Amino acid sequence: MKYNLSYEICALFILFLVFIHVNGKLVINSFRNRFFRIFIVVGSFDIIFDILTGFMFSYPELYPAWIQSTATTIFYLLQVSLTYMFYIYCYTLNDRLHVKNAREIVACSILFFVMIGLVFSNPSTGYIFYFDTNDVYTYGPLYYATYLYALIYMLMTVSYLLIFHKSIQKKQFWFMLECILWIFLCTGIQAIQSDVLLTGVGISVSLIIIILTLNNPIEQMDAVTKVFDRNGLREFLTDAYSRRNDLHLIIVSIEGLKQINSLFGMETGDYVLREFAKYLVRLHSTDYVYRFMANSFVIVRPDLESIQRTYESMVDWQNTNVDIKGTKLNTQVYSILIENIFQYGNVDEAFSFIDFVMRKKNSNYIVSQLDLEEYNRSRMIETFLYEAVEKNLFTLKYQPLYNVEFKKFRSLEALCRLNHPVLGEVLPSEFIPLAEKNNLISDVGRLNFVSLCKFIQKHQADMPTIISVKVNLSPIELLNPDLPSFLKNCIEEYRLKPEFFQFEITETVATRYYDEVIEVTGKLKDIGFELCLDDFGSGFANMAAIMKLPFDVVKIDRSLILDIHNNEKSKEFYRYIVNMLKGLGYLIVSEGAERKEDIDFLLDFDINAIQGYYYSKPLPIDELLDLLKENS
C-alpha cells in the first residue's frame, strides 16, 4: 500500500519552524516546563518515525522485514508514550496537585504499562502488526486496540478536565479541549482512510497550540524588564511547593516611581525599572528574579544563608542616586525578607501573605512571628465576612458630637463593628479594607443602613436633642448607581425624613473620584440628604473641585490638632482653615478632641461641633440613650 506522507512532512516542517522561534526563550524551571520539553521531543520523534515507517511500507522491497519491524516497534512505543504523556501533561495544569493526584496517576498508568508490554512483545507475537511472506506490513488481531487505547486516555483526559475545571485556568481548560478535538479528528480520519497518515498532524497542531498558549514563555515574561512576572513566580512556587522544597524570598520595592513618571514621563520610569532589574539579575540570575507589582520585585532563593546575605546587601543599598537626564534623583529601595515562605500555607496563601506584608509598611525588615499572627487574624476576619454578611453579624455604635452653640449633643455618627465569634469586636479599620477587597462593602453598607433606620424609628423619641446622624460612604458604594434609590426606598419604608441623615465622603475620595461623586451627590441632595466632607486636611484636596460639590458640613481631620498646643503656626493655620471654611458657608466639625487642652483650644475657634473621646467614645444603644438623657 502506498501511504500519503505529505501531511506528516508538512506537520514536521511547521513544528520545526515553531521550535526555531521559541528556542532560547527564558522558561520557568518547573516540572511542567521540563515535562513539556520531553513531550516535544517525543512528539517530534513520533512524527519522524511515522514518516519513516510510512515510506518503508510504501516501498517494502527496499528494506528487510527486521528493519521495518524495528522502526515500526519504535513508532508504536512513541505513539503509546505520547498519548500517556498528553494525559500526564493535563495533570500538570492543576495548581493544586497533591498526593491524591499522584495516586490517581499511578492507578491510571496501568493501561500504559500493559500497552508498552504488548508493543515490546509484538515482534514475537504479531498481535498489533506483522510482515507477511512478501515483507508487507499487515494489521495484527489487536491492531485497533491501539486506537481504543488512545480513545480511553483521551476520554480520561476530558474527564479530568471536567472534574477539576475549577482548579485549572479557564483558558487552559478550553485550549486542552481544542487539542483533544484535533487529535480525535486526525486519528479518526486516519482510522477510516488508512493510507493517509494524519496522527502527526494532530500531534503537531496540538503542540503548536500548547506552545503558543499554555506554555508560551512570553506570557510569563514582563514586557518592560524582561524578567519573569507574577505568573512566572506563581508557577515557580507551585512547582517548589509540590516537591516540598523550602524557599526564601525578598520583596524589593522602589519608592518614588510615581514621581519619576510624573516628572520625566513613563519611558523614564520604565528605564529606571529596566536598570534596576538588570542589577538584580546580575546578582541572582533571571531564574530567581520576578517583577511582582508595578514597583516591586521578588528575589527567590532555596538557600537561607544566601538570601540573608542578599537582604543585608539590599539594605546597604537602600538609598541610591539615579541619573535621569543629568538630574540626580534620590530613590529609596526597601527590602522585606520572608524566610520559608511555605510555612504560611500553599501557593495561594503565600501570595496572599506577600500582598499582606507589602501593605504593612515601607521599611527594611525581616518578617516575624508577629506578622504571621496579624496575617492569621486578617485571614480569619476575611473568611468570616461572607458569613457575617449572610447572617448580618454587624452592630452599630454611635458617637455623639458636641454642639458648641447649644452645649449639647446634637448629632451622632454611626460606626460599624463586626462581631467575630473568636476575635470579638472587630473595628472598621480592620474589616472594611477586606470587605472592599472581596466586593462585600456595598452589602455591609446596606445592612448597616437598614439597621440604622430601624434604630432611629424605634428610638427617635428617646433622642429629642439629636437632629442628624452621620453615615460613612465608601468609594465603592458611591460608584454604585443604585445607591440613591436604595437609600430613598429605605427611609420611605421606615417613614424617616431625609434631612435627618448626613452622608460622609472623605477628602481623598471626593478628589480622586470627582466626576462620579458630583453625579451621586447631586442625586442625594435632590432626595433631601445632607452631605459632609470627612477628614479635611488629611491629604492634598483640590479645593476648586471640592467647592463645586454640595457639601453642608466639613470635618477637619484630627491630624491638624496633634501639635496645636506647642506650635503657634499650627494654631494659626487651624484658625485660618476654620475661618476660610466658615466664610464659604460650611458648618465645621473638629475631629479628634481627646484632652482638656484640645477642648480649650478648639473653643477659641468659630467651630460648630466637636467630636472626640473627650466627650464620648462610640457607644452601644443603651449607653448612648443614658448619656443623651443626662445631657438633655
Side-chain angles (χ1 to χ4, degrees), residues 286-490:
T286 310
D287 291 341
Y288 295 107
V289 178
Y290 303 83
R291 188 180 180 189
F292 190 72
M293 294 178 67
N295 67 328
S296 301
F297 295 82
V298 168
I299 303 167
V300 183
R301 283 284 188 182
D303 179 54
L304 181 58
E305 291 185 7
S306 173
I307 202 75
Q308 288 173 339
R309 288 195 300 270
T310 299
Y311 172 74
E312 292 170 2
S313 67
M314 295 306 299
V315 170
D316 293 338
W317 204 61
Q318 177 178 348
N319 292 295
T320 181
N321 289 318
V322 180
D323 190 342
I324 302 176
K325 299 178 181 179
T327 301
K328 294 288 185 181
L329 190 66
N330 183 265
T331 304
Q332 297 284 328
V333 178
Y334 296 114
S335 301
I336 303 171
L337 172 60
I338 304 178
E339 298 176 359
N340 190 11
I341 185 64
F342 293 132
Q343 69 176 299
Y344 305 106
N346 59 27
V347 175
D348 289 336
E349 290 164 342
F351 263 68
S352 179
F353 182 74
I354 294 171
D355 287 330
F356 170 80
V357 167
M358 291 184 67
R359 289 195 301 267
K360 284 191 61 180
K361 50 189 167 182
N362 290 330
S363 61
N364 296 304
Y365 77 101
I366 300 174
V367 171
S368 66
Q369 183 64 28
L370 181 60
D371 295 295
L372 178 57
E373 291 172 3
E374 291 181 17
Y375 171 71
N376 289 335
R377 176 183 173 89
S378 175
R379 291 289 289 170
M380 288 175 67
I381 296 170
E382 185 173 6
T383 303
F384 181 68
L385 273 174
Y386 291 92
E387 181 183 351
V389 168
E390 182 181 351
K391 298 179 180 179
N392 191 11
L393 301 177
F394 301 93
T395 57
L396 290 177
K397 287 192 172 182
Y398 301 89
Q399 186 174 28
L401 281 70
Y402 182 79
N403 187 284
V404 175
E405 180 183 354
F406 291 90
K407 296 182 173 54
K408 295 179 187 287
F409 295 124
R410 298 273 286 172
S411 183
L412 305 173
E413 181 172 358
L415 299 165
C416 181
R417 301 290 187 266
L418 171 65
N419 300 312
H420 195 281
V422 177
L423 303 176
E425 184 179 273
V426 181
L427 297 176
S429 57
E430 285 191 274
F431 73 82
I432 290 295
L434 297 174
E436 291 176 336
K437 173 186 170 185
N438 291 279
N439 295 320
L440 295 173
I441 190 63
S442 293
D443 296 324
V444 174
R446 294 190 177 206
L447 289 171
N448 287 329
F449 191 72
V450 171
S451 298
L452 175 60
C453 289
K454 290 179 179 177
F455 161 73
I456 296 172
Q457 185 188 56
K458 183 177 180 180
H459 295 289
Q460 192 165 14
D462 302 323
M463 307 182 297
T465 62
I466 300 300
I467 60 172
S468 67
V469 176
K470 302 182 188 301
V471 182
N472 288 290
L473 289 178
S474 73
I476 295 176
E477 288 180 283
L478 278 169
L479 297 176
N480 188 339
D482 297 330
L483 175 68
S485 60
F486 166 77
L487 298 175
K488 181 181 178 182
N489 293 337
C490 201

Side-chain angles (χ1 to χ4, degrees), residues 88-102:
I88 298 299
Y89 178 76
C90 188
Y91 263 87
T92 68
L93 300 177
N94 189 346
D95 289 342
R96 295 169 177 81
L97 206 61
H98 45 69
V99 176
K100 184 179 178 182
N101 295 126

Side-chain angles (χ1 to χ4, degrees), residues 467-583:
I467 60 172
S468 67
V469 176
K470 302 182 188 301
V471 182
N472 288 290
L473 289 178
S474 73
I476 295 176
E477 288 180 283
L478 278 169
L479 297 176
N480 188 339
D482 297 330
L483 175 68
S485 60
F486 166 77
L487 298 175
K488 181 181 178 182
N489 293 337
C490 201
I491 63 171
E492 288 177 351
E493 179 182 349
Y494 291 95
R495 300 184 298 279
L496 301 173
K497 295 180 179 179
E499 57 268 21
F500 195 78
F501 297 88
Q502 278 187 8
F503 291 103
E504 295 190 352
I505 302 170
T506 64
E507 173 189 281
T508 303
V509 172
T511 304
R512 183 175 299 175
Y513 304 102
Y514 172 76
D515 292 334
E516 294 84 355
V517 169
I518 197 168
E519 181 179 352
V520 174
T521 53
K523 293 178 180 179
L524 294 177
K525 290 295 290 184
D526 290 341
I527 296 170
F529 294 120
E530 293 194 343
L531 299 172
C532 174
L533 177 64
D534 195 14
D535 297 337
F536 181 82
S538 62
F540 303 94
N542 183 338
M543 284 301 299
I546 285 176
M547 284 190 296
K548 294 178 183 178
L549 294 168
F551 290 111
D552 305 284
V553 181
V554 175
K555 272 189 177 183
I556 302 178
D557 189 70
R558 65 183 303 273
S559 61
L560 296 182
I561 66 169
L562 292 179
D563 194 38
I564 201 169
H565 317 93
N566 306 316
N567 192 317
E568 190 64 28
K569 288 185 178 179
S570 297
K571 181 178 179 180
E572 290 306 313
F573 181 66
Y574 201 94
R575 188 189 306 277
Y576 169 78
I577 289 176
V578 170
N579 292 337
M580 176 190 69
L581 294 173
K582 291 286 286 188

